[in-house]
Amino acid sequence: MTDNLLEVSGLKMHFPITKGVFKRKVGAVRAVDGIDLAVKKGETLGLVGESGCGKSTTGRLMTRILEPTEGKVLFDGRDVSHVGQAGLRPLRRDVQMIFQDPYSSLNPRHTVGSIISAPLQIQNIPTPNGLKSAVQDLLKLVGLNPEHYNRYPHEFSGGQRQRIGIARALALRPKLIVADEPVSALDVSIQAQVVNLLDDLQREFDLTYVFIAHDLSVVRHISDRVAVMYLGRVVEIADREQLYKNPRHPYTVALMSAVPVPDPARRERAQRNRVLLTGDVPSPINPPSGCRFRTRCWKAQDICATEDPALIPRLEDPASHQTACHFPVTEDEVVAGRRPAGAQA
Amino acid sequence: MSSTTTGTRPFLEVKDLTVRFETDDGIVQAVSNSSFAVERGKTLGIVGESGSGKSVTSLAVLGLHRTRSNAKVAGEIWLDDQELVTATDEDVRKLRGGKMAMIFQDPLSAMHPYYTVGAQIVEGYRVHHKGVSKKEARTRTIDMLARVGIPQPEKRFNEYGHQFSGGMRQRAMIAMALVNDPQLLIADEPTTALDVTVQAQILDLIRDLQDEFGSAVIMITHDLGVVAELADDVLVMYGGKIIERGPAADVFHEPQHPYTWGLLGSMPRLDRDVRDRLTPVKGTPPSLINLPDGCAFHPRCPYAGRNGNRSFTEVPELRGGVHAVACHLPAEEKRRIFHEEVAPNL
């Protein structure tokens, strides 16, 4: 057995585009288009990328809310790629999800008590002190008042609702939690409280997280390893420190340089070093040939249009730092404190 | 940022602005006694969380509460020596979209789905430029679309809002706001719905256009990073009040209000080493219908009660010179707490 809790290989999710009465298939949105990833026991893997890069779809494939078009999902060594309802039930005990929108992810007609106890009832989990006390323990755990057992979601603030979602995900004591933008709908101070809570829970229950977010600073804070996605692919993956200190893929470099730094004294330097990408992300219905980033890349050459770069270690990087790029950005380019040569202003 | 009455007034001066809404649940104290000023060519950043009163402040400047019968606006708003709170609806309407304009957060809902993007901008232009022909207005609009970096502006002119991507839609919004050369531009969370790479493009664009036209800009956001990028001066709002006000460098490097410390402590930052834990403010923001007595922040403040019970009973005034703060803690003690207890954890 490896120490990988979850492995996906060659994972693809193509959503068909249909036309006419007979739903003739005329194309496909290639939301996820060939991803290999492993999540180690006890770690937090961060998935970052901009809207439409396939990070949420990847999360939904990992939890098997979606069934992959191609490729495999192995949980704890077991292939769960295509198991049906009956096979999924035991998986749900081990893999849970936290959703982005704390407003639409809780049923407004159910009380907090029934929302949090639903997983326990569905899975027939025995509760020695009764269902109510099990739920109240969970509420306490996520920092909510256990007396509020009978309240409805609308009586809570956004941050508190997100805590309810976390309590529901924890009810079955899962091994893996996939959190899809769990804090992006929250105010800054509430965001930090929830991040700290997720941290504490991970320590207490030995949880493994896949943390999906577009905010690079939050992902850096919470993750042990980070994978950067672009147009349905992982373009770079590395340990946190390594990735943020030595980003190799031009897209990662551009993404990081775009994050505003909360320090007016560094404003000018930040702006000078900024790599501004032009144009929009191409459509995932018809992605560019070869490297998918080449249409917006300042380093692109002929080979980028013909050959799809493999996700492998580049330059002198350790085996754990893999980049899918023919012309990775070197340390000199990044560290010298100037815009990478040839990058657009 | 002084509010002296001698000499010339700042380009925009807001004095003791108070906005209340009467609702079935009670009176919402959206903004209380806020004073600030912005000069031409300068950017004021207003920071705060949901319900802190930052958007209401900007809507009041534009006079957008006038049509709401339950809104009560008091105080003075001076734009280029013209008072707006007591001005007639007609006078304010002439300024709105002309001398002052706004960029909204959600460009899809701020645009009309039935009209083409071009038609909407043309309309805005012709309202403020009577006697301009349709053709001239069209040329002006296409110029504007090109100025904000929209490729193929002639073609995009005839498209609808939903055919634009998020970033392009925000650019079109900016073109719409800028078509009449406004001297005051209010941007309410203009990049919140956008991806970081697009956000960088839009902030760059706002900066360039400001350099070119010398307008005053008010940038409203919850993102301290965005404020640090653009603002010359910063207001921090909490519970409908300004709790800290000053030049951006002072507010970011020597923040004086415990709430500002909490905001900075909540943010993981890429320019620092990873901290073990974030140090956010405890608790949740107050309801604007039932504001706590005394300092509105006291239920969440770790330092409330350090100097007797004043925090619980007495509303702190915004005091200080260029860098002002509304807090009962003595200045000396604040400085010590910030440098010894807060700054090491940021």
Side-chain angles (χ1 to χ4, degrees):
Chain A
M1 279 290 292
T2 60
D3 58 352
N4 289 340
L5 185 61
L6 180 90
E7 274 180 63
V8 300
S9 52
L11 199 63
K12 287 188 184 178
M13 185 73 226
H14 293 180
F15 296 101
I17 307 166
T18 53
K19 212 176 175 180
V21 207
F22 299 108
K23 303 270 175 203
R24 190 163 45 91
K25 196 180 157 203
V26 292
V29 176
R30 305 160 136 207
V32 170
D33 208 18
I35 280 185
D36 304 286
L37 273 178
V39 187
K40 295 177 195 148
K41 274 194 183 102
E43 80 166 349
T44 300
L45 174 72
L47 278 186
V48 277
E50 299 183 283
S51 8
C53 71
K55 55 189 193 302
S56 289
T57 306
T58 307
R60 281 160 196 253
L61 288 167
M62 285 173 162
T63 47
R64 269 308 318 280
I65 288 176
L66 290 173
E67 188 174 347
T69 318
E70 257 180 64
K72 272 189 178 155
V73 181
L74 297 181
F75 183 79
D76 237 351
R78 198 164 71 90
D79 186 350
V80 293
S81 333
H82 301 286
V83 293
Q85 272 305 319
L88 280 176
R89 188 154 293 173
L91 182 72
R92 298 270 178 258
R93 270 201 194 197
D94 291 331
V95 183
Q96 283 288 320
M97 189 147 185
I98 300 170
F99 298 92
Q100 167 172 10
D101 183 355
Y103 292 85
S104 61
S105 60
L106 302 175
N107 189 329
R109 289 167 183 262
H110 286 200
T111 63
V112 168
S114 82
I115 288 171
I116 298 177
S117 64
L120 297 168
Q121 288 178 307
I122 291 168
Q123 297 277 354
N124 282 321
I125 308 285
T127 44
N129 301 319
L131 205 54
K132 185 173 173 186
S133 98
V135 170
Q136 291 187 323
D137 287 346
L138 283 161
L139 285 171
K140 257 183 265 170
L141 198 62
V142 296
L144 291 173
N145 187 342
E147 314 268 293
H148 293 167
Y149 176 87
N150 273 323
R151 295 201 178 178
Y152 287 89
H154 74 262
E155 298 174 72
F156 295 87
S157 68
Q160 289 172 323
R161 284 163 180 244
Q162 201 52 297
R163 288 175 194 262
I164 298 168
I166 294 173
R168 175 177 60 187
L170 278 177
L172 298 171
R173 297 288 133 91
K175 294 177 182 152
L176 175 73
I177 292 185
V178 176
D180 187 2
E181 302 268 16
V183 298
S184 46
L186 308 176
D187 267 323
V188 209
S189 68
I190 310 299
Q191 197 170 29
Q193 293 171 359
V194 171
V195 166
N196 282 346
L197 172 67
L198 289 172
D199 240 358
D200 293 340
L201 294 171
Q202 180 167 41
R203 265 170 235 177
E204 193 169 341
F205 298 107
D206 249 341
L207 291 168
T208 306
Y209 286 143
V210 173
F211 192 93
I212 300 167
H214 68 280
D215 184 328
L216 284 116
S217 341
V218 172
V219 166
R220 171 171 174 257
H221 179 84
I222 205 162
S223 310
D224 300 301
R225 285 194 308 140
V226 178
V228 182
M229 290 188 64
Y230 186 79
L231 217 56
R233 291 278 178 83
V234 173
V235 295
E236 185 162 8
I237 181 166
D239 291 343
R240 162 177 73 184
E241 294 298 327
Q242 173 76 15
L243 184 84
Y244 282 81
K245 285 210 172 86
N246 290 318
R248 291 285 184 226
H249 200 285
Y251 178 63
T252 315
V253 173
L255 207 54
M256 282 183 191
S257 77
V259 177
V261 173
D263 183 354
R266 300 173 62 127
R267 183 190 296 184
E268 276 168 25
R269 212 177 79 189
Q271 281 161 19
R272 203 169 54 240
N273 295 344
R274 183 154 296 159
V275 184
L276 276 192
L277 293 179
T278 46
D280 287 320
V281 183
S283 157
I285 297 170
N286 199 2
S289 63
C291 171
R292 291 167 180 227
F293 184 59
R294 72 177 164 84
T295 51
R296 302 170 79 199
C297 184
W298 68 95
K299 298 190 90 175
Q301 298 186 21
D302 293 348
I303 182 177
C304 301
T306 52
E307 209 171 297
D308 200 354
L311 187 66
I312 50 170
R314 303 276 171 173
L315 306 173
E316 295 90 44
D317 289 335
S320 59
H321 185 175
Q322 299 171 347
T323 312
C325 178
H326 294 299
F327 305 102
V329 178
T330 64
E331 252 150 89
D332 298 347
E333 279 177 278
V334 181
V335 178
R338 58 192 149 76
R339 203 193 298 277
Q344 285 206 36
Chain B
M1 297 231 78
S2 70
S3 52
T4 49
T5 44
T6 53
T8 50
R9 259 177 215 292
F11 177 62
L12 172 74
E13 185 176 24
V14 174
K15 285 171 90 175
D16 295 323
L17 179 70
T18 298
V19 183
R20 289 174 188 189
F21 297 100
E22 280 161 19
T23 67
D24 293 344
D25 299 324
I27 294 173
V28 179
Q29 307 261 14
V31 180
S32 318
N33 298 347
S34 293
S35 301
F36 59 89
V38 200
E39 292 290 1
R40 280 197 175 86
K42 296 285 182 193
T43 300
L44 173 74
I46 305 184
V47 203
E49 298 182 276
S50 332
S52 61
K54 53 190 196 308
S55 292
V56 174
T57 303
S58 64
L59 295 176
V61 171
L62 286 173
L64 288 173
H65 295 313
R66 286 169 168 266
T67 51
R68 295 184 60 170
S69 56
N70 66 343
K72 294 268 174 298
V73 181
E76 298 166 37
I77 299 168
W78 292 87
L79 181 75
D80 208 8
D81 284 322
Q82 187 179 358
E83 212 288 316
L84 302 186
V85 175
T86 52
T88 63
D89 286 353
E90 186 52 34
D91 285 343
V92 175
R93 196 179 308 132
K94 275 183 193 150
L95 294 172
R96 202 189 292 135
K99 201 169 199 172
M100 55 186 185
M102 180 142 180
I103 303 171
F104 293 92
Q105 169 173 3
D106 178 1
L108 190 57
S109 58
M111 276 188 197
H112 201 296
Y114 282 7
Y115 294 93
T116 62
V117 170
Q120 294 177 62
I121 304 180
V122 162
E123 184 190 358
Y125 187 66
R126 294 186 76 209
V127 163
H128 290 277
H129 291 82
K130 299 272 189 262
V132 165
S133 74
K134 277 190 179 165
K135 207 177 154 204
E136 280 173 86
R138 185 188 151 89
T139 316
R140 165 81 183 164
T141 300
I142 290 172
D143 277 355
M144 242 15 253
L145 290 174
R147 279 289 298 114
V148 299
I150 294 180
Q152 298 177 279
E154 285 94 358
K155 177 169 164 263
R156 301 299 252 176
F157 181 95
N158 295 316
E159 289 183 6
Y160 294 88
H162 68 89
Q163 293 171 291
F164 282 53
S165 70
M168 284 302 146
R169 217 178 278 146
Q170 196 55 282
R171 282 168 195 268
M173 272 284 296
I174 294 176
M176 199 182 288
L178 292 179
V179 73
N180 292 313
D181 294 328
Q183 295 167 41
L184 173 67
L185 182 64
I186 300 178
D188 189 357
E189 306 265 10
T191 58
T192 305
L194 306 175
D195 281 320
V196 273
T197 56
V198 183
Q199 165 171 292
Q201 295 169 4
I202 298 290
L203 294 183
D204 232 42
L205 176 67
I206 294 178
R207 198 162 25 225
D208 284 354
L209 295 169
Q210 184 181 23
D211 283 349
E212 190 177 330
F213 299 110
S215 356
V217 174
I218 298 180
M219 172 68 80
I220 296 160
T221 175
H222 67 279
D223 186 333
L224 292 165
V226 170
V227 172
E229 283 267 322
L230 285 181
D232 300 293
D233 293 299
V234 178
L235 298 183
V236 184
M237 293 195 70
Y238 186 83
K241 294 191 184 66
I242 298 174
I243 52 109
E244 187 159 2
R245 181 182 75 192
D250 292 0
V251 174
F252 278 91
H253 296 149
E254 293 278 333
Q256 302 214 336
H257 198 285
Y259 176 65
T260 316
W261 299 341
L263 277 186
L264 288 165
S266 301
M267 295 188 69
R269 336 179 18 160
L270 285 186
D271 59 332
R272 301 274 168 89
D273 286 337
V274 178
R275 287 180 279 161
D276 195 36
R277 273 183 93 69
L278 301 172
T279 47
V281 204
K282 291 184 182 63
T284 47
S287 143
L288 293 169
I289 294 180
N290 263 321
L291 280 172
D293 286 338
C295 173
F297 186 60
H298 87 255
R300 303 174 74 189
C301 182
Y303 311 102
R306 277 218 183 171
N307 292 282
N309 292 326
R310 284 175 68 201
S311 306
F312 309 117
T313 53
E314 203 180 309
V315 180
E317 268 178 67
L318 187 67
R319 254 192 289 257
V322 186
H323 185 180
V325 61
C327 177
H328 287 305
L329 285 174
E332 271 308 302
E333 197 173 344
K334 274 190 299 236
R335 207 164 298 131
R336 187 192 61 75
I337 295 174
F338 176 69
H339 286 286
E340 289 174 16
E341 298 174 26
V342 180
N345 295 320
L346 291 182

